Amino acid sequence: AAFDVMPVITIYPTSGAISEMLTIHGTGFGFKSDVAVYFKYDEVAYAKTDDYGNFTVSFNVPNLILCTYDVQAEDGDENKDKAGFTIVAGASLDKSTGHVGIGLTVSGTGFIAGEMVAIKYDNIAVATAAANSNGAFEATFQVPVSQHGDHTVTVSDGVNTKELTFTMESSPLGTAGAVKNAEHYLDGTFAVLN
């Protein structure tokens, strides 16, 4: 009886934003073969299999519209497999920690082109920005008075919503400097003493 080894790829994660890292694991491909990886129709990565036909390769998600795309790997002997990957809206903060009053920049991709993106710190509206023709935006706001610990920055265009975490430092000015003469309150705020 014959037994065929079939090439298989798995991708992680199965969805993500533009520029995020996507990793592909392949098994059952040719012995020490060159493998080309395609996202939609474009070659985006290259790998070489080991003695057992396995490979791992990572690359950044290309700049395409929000949709589900085929990711395919193929070696020189036409062993191939594909899996689906969905591009979704994504957002990030330029700092993960800081203090009251620090400038915090939030940027995003994959939002609805031309739509206004609302940005909230916890439940406080702090900024808005218009997504450009590619669905990207960037906005900067000053972190409002809040207790030390984790806070949620919400970004939404009404359809796509992302939540990010910003951690308020316990020292008044964090890494930017120390306030020597200050009175600290239980709610995390402080007053500078002359």
Side-chain angles (χ1 to χ4, degrees), residues 11-36:
I11 60 177
Y12 179 82
T14 55
S15 65
I18 294 166
S19 297
E20 288 184 359
M21 190 66 68
L22 172 60
T23 299
I24 296 180
H25 298 285
T27 60
F29 286 79
F31 165 81
K32 295 200 174 198
S33 295
D34 295 329
V35 178

PDB file of all heavy atoms in Angstrom, residues 11-36:
ATOM      1  N   ILE A  11      -0.498  28.929  10.095  1.00  0.00           N
ATOM      2  CA  ILE A  11      -0.098  30.317  10.235  1.00  0.00           C
ATOM      3  C   ILE A  11      -0.527  30.837  11.601  1.00  0.00           C
ATOM      4  O   ILE A  11      -1.563  30.429  12.142  1.00  0.00           O
ATOM      5  CB  ILE A  11      -0.661  31.204   9.101  1.00  0.00           C
ATOM      6  CG1 ILE A  11      -2.191  31.173   9.090  1.00  0.00           C
ATOM      7  CG2 ILE A  11      -0.132  30.753   7.766  1.00  0.00           C
ATOM      8  CD1 ILE A  11      -2.788  32.089   8.044  1.00  0.00           C
ATOM      9  N   TYR A  12       0.307  31.698  12.156  1.00  0.00           N
ATOM     10  CA  TYR A  12      -0.012  32.292  13.447  1.00  0.00           C
ATOM     11  C   TYR A  12       0.440  33.751  13.457  1.00  0.00           C
ATOM     12  O   TYR A  12       1.584  34.027  13.111  1.00  0.00           O
ATOM     13  CB  TYR A  12       0.682  31.538  14.579  1.00  0.00           C
ATOM     14  CG  TYR A  12       0.381  32.145  15.924  1.00  0.00           C
ATOM     15  CD1 TYR A  12      -0.811  31.838  16.583  1.00  0.00           C
ATOM     16  CD2 TYR A  12       1.246  33.068  16.502  1.00  0.00           C
ATOM     17  CE1 TYR A  12      -1.111  32.415  17.802  1.00  0.00           C
ATOM     18  CE2 TYR A  12       0.945  33.659  17.718  1.00  0.00           C
ATOM     19  CZ  TYR A  12      -0.230  33.329  18.359  1.00  0.00           C
ATOM     20  OH  TYR A  12      -0.530  33.921  19.564  1.00  0.00           O
ATOM     21  N   PRO A  13      -0.461  34.646  13.815  1.00  0.00           N
ATOM     22  CA  PRO A  13      -1.877  34.422  14.074  1.00  0.00           C
ATOM     23  C   PRO A  13      -2.642  34.248  12.765  1.00  0.00           C
ATOM     24  O   PRO A  13      -2.048  34.368  11.689  1.00  0.00           O
ATOM     25  CB  PRO A  13      -2.297  35.694  14.801  1.00  0.00           C
ATOM     26  CG  PRO A  13      -1.386  36.747  14.225  1.00  0.00           C
ATOM     27  CD  PRO A  13      -0.071  36.069  13.983  1.00  0.00           C
ATOM     28  N   THR A  14      -3.933  34.015  12.840  1.00  0.00           N
ATOM     29  CA  THR A  14      -4.743  33.858  11.630  1.00  0.00           C
ATOM     30  C   THR A  14      -5.381  35.171  11.202  1.00  0.00           C
ATOM     31  O   THR A  14      -6.010  35.236  10.155  1.00  0.00           O
ATOM     32  CB  THR A  14      -5.843  32.801  11.834  1.00  0.00           C
ATOM     33  OG1 THR A  14      -6.629  33.154  12.980  1.00  0.00           O
ATOM     34  CG2 THR A  14      -5.220  31.424  12.051  1.00  0.00           C
ATOM     35  N   SER A  15      -5.216  36.198  12.016  1.00  0.00           N
ATOM     36  CA  SER A  15      -5.673  37.539  11.646  1.00  0.00           C
ATOM     37  C   SER A  15      -4.761  38.556  12.321  1.00  0.00           C
ATOM     38  O   SER A  15      -4.146  38.271  13.355  1.00  0.00           O
ATOM     39  CB  SER A  15      -7.132  37.768  12.065  1.00  0.00           C
ATOM     40  OG  SER A  15      -7.257  37.755  13.471  1.00  0.00           O
ATOM     41  N   GLY A  16      -4.675  39.730  11.734  1.00  0.00           N
ATOM     42  CA  GLY A  16      -3.809  40.763  12.294  1.00  0.00           C
ATOM     43  C   GLY A  16      -3.837  42.005  11.444  1.00  0.00           C
ATOM     44  O   GLY A  16      -4.453  42.041  10.372  1.00  0.00           O
ATOM     45  N   ALA A  17      -3.152  43.032  11.927  1.00  0.00           N
ATOM     46  CA  ALA A  17      -3.121  44.318  11.243  1.00  0.00           C
ATOM     47  C   ALA A  17      -1.921  44.418  10.314  1.00  0.00           C
ATOM     48  O   ALA A  17      -0.970  43.634  10.402  1.00  0.00           O
ATOM     49  CB  ALA A  17      -3.083  45.452  12.270  1.00  0.00           C
ATOM     50  N   ILE A  18      -1.969  45.394   9.428  1.00  0.00           N
ATOM     51  CA  ILE A  18      -0.859  45.684   8.523  1.00  0.00           C
ATOM     52  C   ILE A  18       0.410  45.914   9.336  1.00  0.00           C
ATOM     53  O   ILE A  18       0.380  46.570  10.379  1.00  0.00           O
ATOM     54  CB  ILE A  18      -1.188  46.922   7.670  1.00  0.00           C
ATOM     55  CG1 ILE A  18      -2.364  46.622   6.735  1.00  0.00           C
ATOM     56  CG2 ILE A  18       0.026  47.383   6.874  1.00  0.00           C
ATOM     57  CD1 ILE A  18      -2.971  47.860   6.094  1.00  0.00           C
ATOM     58  N   SER A  19       1.501  45.335   8.873  1.00  0.00           N
ATOM     59  CA  SER A  19       2.845  45.454   9.470  1.00  0.00           C
ATOM     60  C   SER A  19       3.075  44.542  10.671  1.00  0.00           C
ATOM     61  O   SER A  19       4.203  44.438  11.149  1.00  0.00           O
ATOM     62  CB  SER A  19       3.177  46.896   9.867  1.00  0.00           C
ATOM     63  OG  SER A  19       3.200  47.713   8.714  1.00  0.00           O
ATOM     64  N   GLU A  20       2.041  43.881  11.180  1.00  0.00           N
ATOM     65  CA  GLU A  20       2.257  42.939  12.272  1.00  0.00           C
ATOM     66  C   GLU A  20       2.984  41.697  11.752  1.00  0.00           C
ATOM     67  O   GLU A  20       2.972  41.401  10.558  1.00  0.00           O
ATOM     68  CB  GLU A  20       0.931  42.545  12.927  1.00  0.00           C
ATOM     69  CG  GLU A  20       0.313  43.662  13.749  1.00  0.00           C
ATOM     70  CD  GLU A  20      -0.954  43.236  14.463  1.00  0.00           C
ATOM     71  OE1 GLU A  20      -1.373  42.065  14.315  1.00  0.00           O
ATOM     72  OE2 GLU A  20      -1.543  44.078  15.169  1.00  0.00           O
ATOM     73  N   MET A  21       3.629  40.981  12.663  1.00  0.00           N
ATOM     74  CA  MET A  21       4.415  39.808  12.276  1.00  0.00           C
ATOM     75  C   MET A  21       3.520  38.586  12.104  1.00  0.00           C
ATOM     76  O   MET A  21       2.680  38.289  12.942  1.00  0.00           O
ATOM     77  CB  MET A  21       5.484  39.525  13.335  1.00  0.00           C
ATOM     78  CG  MET A  21       6.494  38.476  12.908  1.00  0.00           C
ATOM     79  SD  MET A  21       7.514  39.016  11.509  1.00  0.00           S
ATOM     80  CE  MET A  21       8.484  40.306  12.252  1.00  0.00           C
ATOM     81  N   LEU A  22       3.708  37.885  10.995  1.00  0.00           N
ATOM     82  CA  LEU A  22       2.982  36.655  10.690  1.00  0.00           C
ATOM     83  C   LEU A  22       4.001  35.535  10.541  1.00  0.00           C
ATOM     84  O   LEU A  22       5.000  35.683   9.840  1.00  0.00           O
ATOM     85  CB  LEU A  22       2.183  36.832   9.395  1.00  0.00           C
ATOM     86  CG  LEU A  22       1.500  35.612   8.790  1.00  0.00           C
ATOM     87  CD1 LEU A  22       0.494  35.007   9.760  1.00  0.00           C
ATOM     88  CD2 LEU A  22       0.803  35.985   7.493  1.00  0.00           C
ATOM     89  N   THR A  23       3.766  34.414  11.224  1.00  0.00           N
ATOM     90  CA  THR A  23       4.697  33.285  11.185  1.00  0.00           C
ATOM     91  C   THR A  23       4.027  32.076  10.542  1.00  0.00           C
ATOM     92  O   THR A  23       2.879  31.756  10.841  1.00  0.00           O
ATOM     93  CB  THR A  23       5.168  32.917  12.606  1.00  0.00           C
ATOM     94  OG1 THR A  23       5.839  34.048  13.169  1.00  0.00           O
ATOM     95  CG2 THR A  23       6.113  31.731  12.585  1.00  0.00           C
ATOM     96  N   ILE A  24       4.773  31.417   9.654  1.00  0.00           N
ATOM     97  CA  ILE A  24       4.269  30.226   8.963  1.00  0.00           C
ATOM     98  C   ILE A  24       5.163  29.035   9.297  1.00  0.00           C
ATOM     99  O   ILE A  24       6.389  29.126   9.215  1.00  0.00           O
ATOM    100  CB  ILE A  24       4.245  30.434   7.442  1.00  0.00           C
ATOM    101  CG1 ILE A  24       3.271  31.547   7.091  1.00  0.00           C
ATOM    102  CG2 ILE A  24       3.870  29.152   6.717  1.00  0.00           C
ATOM    103  CD1 ILE A  24       3.178  31.822   5.617  1.00  0.00           C
ATOM    104  N   HIS A  25       4.526  27.935   9.688  1.00  0.00           N
ATOM    105  CA  HIS A  25       5.224  26.666   9.899  1.00  0.00           C
ATOM    106  C   HIS A  25       4.759  25.699   8.812  1.00  0.00           C
ATOM    107  O   HIS A  25       3.567  25.584   8.547  1.00  0.00           O
ATOM    108  CB  HIS A  25       4.891  26.073  11.274  1.00  0.00           C
ATOM    109  CG  HIS A  25       5.310  26.943  12.421  1.00  0.00           C
ATOM    110  ND1 HIS A  25       6.610  27.068  12.826  1.00  0.00           N
ATOM    111  CD2 HIS A  25       4.575  27.740  13.245  1.00  0.00           C
ATOM    112  CE1 HIS A  25       6.672  27.889  13.853  1.00  0.00           C
ATOM    113  NE2 HIS A  25       5.454  28.321  14.123  1.00  0.00           N
ATOM    114  N   GLY A  26       5.698  25.013   8.194  1.00  0.00           N
ATOM    115  CA  GLY A  26       5.354  24.045   7.154  1.00  0.00           C
ATOM    116  C   GLY A  26       5.930  22.678   7.458  1.00  0.00           C
ATOM    117  O   GLY A  26       7.034  22.568   8.004  1.00  0.00           O
ATOM    118  N   THR A  27       5.188  21.642   7.126  1.00  0.00           N
ATOM    119  CA  THR A  27       5.660  20.263   7.255  1.00  0.00           C
ATOM    120  C   THR A  27       5.273  19.495   5.996  1.00  0.00           C
ATOM    121  O   THR A  27       4.337  19.878   5.287  1.00  0.00           O
ATOM    122  CB  THR A  27       5.018  19.548   8.473  1.00  0.00           C
ATOM    123  OG1 THR A  27       3.586  19.516   8.307  1.00  0.00           O
ATOM    124  CG2 THR A  27       5.354  20.256   9.770  1.00  0.00           C
ATOM    125  N   GLY A  28       6.011  18.420   5.721  1.00  0.00           N
ATOM    126  CA  GLY A  28       5.674  17.574   4.583  1.00  0.00           C
ATOM    127  C   GLY A  28       6.129  18.095   3.243  1.00  0.00           C
ATOM    128  O   GLY A  28       5.683  17.610   2.197  1.00  0.00           O
ATOM    129  N   PHE A  29       7.028  19.082   3.241  1.00  0.00           N
ATOM    130  CA  PHE A  29       7.563  19.594   1.980  1.00  0.00           C
ATOM    131  C   PHE A  29       8.812  18.804   1.598  1.00  0.00           C
ATOM    132  O   PHE A  29       9.216  17.863   2.294  1.00  0.00           O
ATOM    133  CB  PHE A  29       7.865  21.090   2.110  1.00  0.00           C
ATOM    134  CG  PHE A  29       6.628  21.949   2.124  1.00  0.00           C
ATOM    135  CD1 PHE A  29       5.871  22.070   3.283  1.00  0.00           C
ATOM    136  CD2 PHE A  29       6.200  22.602   0.976  1.00  0.00           C
ATOM    137  CE1 PHE A  29       4.716  22.850   3.298  1.00  0.00           C
ATOM    138  CE2 PHE A  29       5.052  23.369   0.984  1.00  0.00           C
ATOM    139  CZ  PHE A  29       4.299  23.492   2.146  1.00  0.00           C
ATOM    140  N   GLY A  30       9.424  19.150   0.478  1.00  0.00           N
ATOM    141  CA  GLY A  30      10.574  18.401  -0.017  1.00  0.00           C
ATOM    142  C   GLY A  30      11.796  18.515   0.875  1.00  0.00           C
ATOM    143  O   GLY A  30      11.952  19.468   1.639  1.00  0.00           O
ATOM    144  N   PHE A  31      12.682  17.539   0.761  1.00  0.00           N
ATOM    145  CA  PHE A  31      13.935  17.479   1.517  1.00  0.00           C
ATOM    146  C   PHE A  31      14.851  18.625   1.119  1.00  0.00           C
ATOM    147  O   PHE A  31      15.194  18.788  -0.049  1.00  0.00           O
ATOM    148  CB  PHE A  31      14.603  16.124   1.234  1.00  0.00           C
ATOM    149  CG  PHE A  31      16.044  16.035   1.642  1.00  0.00           C
ATOM    150  CD1 PHE A  31      16.397  15.789   2.957  1.00  0.00           C
ATOM    151  CD2 PHE A  31      17.050  16.182   0.702  1.00  0.00           C
ATOM    152  CE1 PHE A  31      17.727  15.700   3.328  1.00  0.00           C
ATOM    153  CE2 PHE A  31      18.383  16.096   1.058  1.00  0.00           C
ATOM    154  CZ  PHE A  31      18.725  15.847   2.376  1.00  0.00           C
ATOM    155  N   LYS A  32      15.211  19.480   2.089  1.00  0.00           N
ATOM    156  CA  LYS A  32      16.103  20.617   1.850  1.00  0.00           C
ATOM    157  C   LYS A  32      15.708  21.392   0.584  1.00  0.00           C
ATOM    158  O   LYS A  32      16.531  21.679  -0.280  1.00  0.00           O
ATOM    159  CB  LYS A  32      17.546  20.166   1.796  1.00  0.00           C
ATOM    160  CG  LYS A  32      18.033  19.617   3.138  1.00  0.00           C
ATOM    161  CD  LYS A  32      19.526  19.610   3.260  1.00  0.00           C
ATOM    162  CE  LYS A  32      19.889  19.184   4.675  1.00  0.00           C
ATOM    163  NZ  LYS A  32      21.235  19.530   5.064  1.00  0.00           N
ATOM    164  N   SER A  33      14.445  21.707   0.506  1.00  0.00           N
ATOM    165  CA  SER A  33      13.901  22.413  -0.665  1.00  0.00           C
ATOM    166  C   SER A  33      13.762  23.902  -0.398  1.00  0.00           C
ATOM    167  O   SER A  33      13.601  24.338   0.749  1.00  0.00           O
ATOM    168  CB  SER A  33      12.522  21.857  -1.029  1.00  0.00           C
ATOM    169  OG  SER A  33      12.601  20.523  -1.445  1.00  0.00           O
ATOM    170  N   ASP A  34      13.838  24.676  -1.462  1.00  0.00           N
ATOM    171  CA  ASP A  34      13.546  26.099  -1.385  1.00  0.00           C
ATOM    172  C   ASP A  34      12.029  26.289  -1.409  1.00  0.00           C
ATOM    173  O   ASP A  34      11.345  25.717  -2.270  1.00  0.00           O
ATOM    174  CB  ASP A  34      14.170  26.849  -2.558  1.00  0.00           C
ATOM    175  CG  ASP A  34      15.690  26.789  -2.515  1.00  0.00           C
ATOM    176  OD1 ASP A  34      16.241  26.725  -1.402  1.00  0.00           O
ATOM    177  OD2 ASP A  34      16.319  26.798  -3.594  1.00  0.00           O
ATOM    178  N   VAL A  35      11.521  27.089  -0.485  1.00  0.00           N
ATOM    179  CA  VAL A  35      10.078  27.316  -0.390  1.00  0.00           C
ATOM    180  C   VAL A  35       9.792  28.800  -0.559  1.00  0.00           C
ATOM    181  O   VAL A  35      10.410  29.642   0.104  1.00  0.00           O
ATOM    182  CB  VAL A  35       9.524  26.840   0.967  1.00  0.00           C
ATOM    183  CG1 VAL A  35       8.033  27.129   1.070  1.00  0.00           C
ATOM    184  CG2 VAL A  35       9.788  25.350   1.160  1.00  0.00           C
ATOM    185  N   ALA A  36       8.880  29.111  -1.458  1.00  0.00           N
ATOM    186  CA  ALA A  36       8.426  30.491  -1.647  1.00  0.00           C
ATOM    187  C   ALA A  36       7.076  30.653  -0.971  1.00  0.00           C
ATOM    188  O   ALA A  36       6.215  29.777  -1.062  1.00  0.00           O
ATOM    189  CB  ALA A  36       8.314  30.820  -3.133  1.00  0.00           C
TER     190      ALA A  36
END
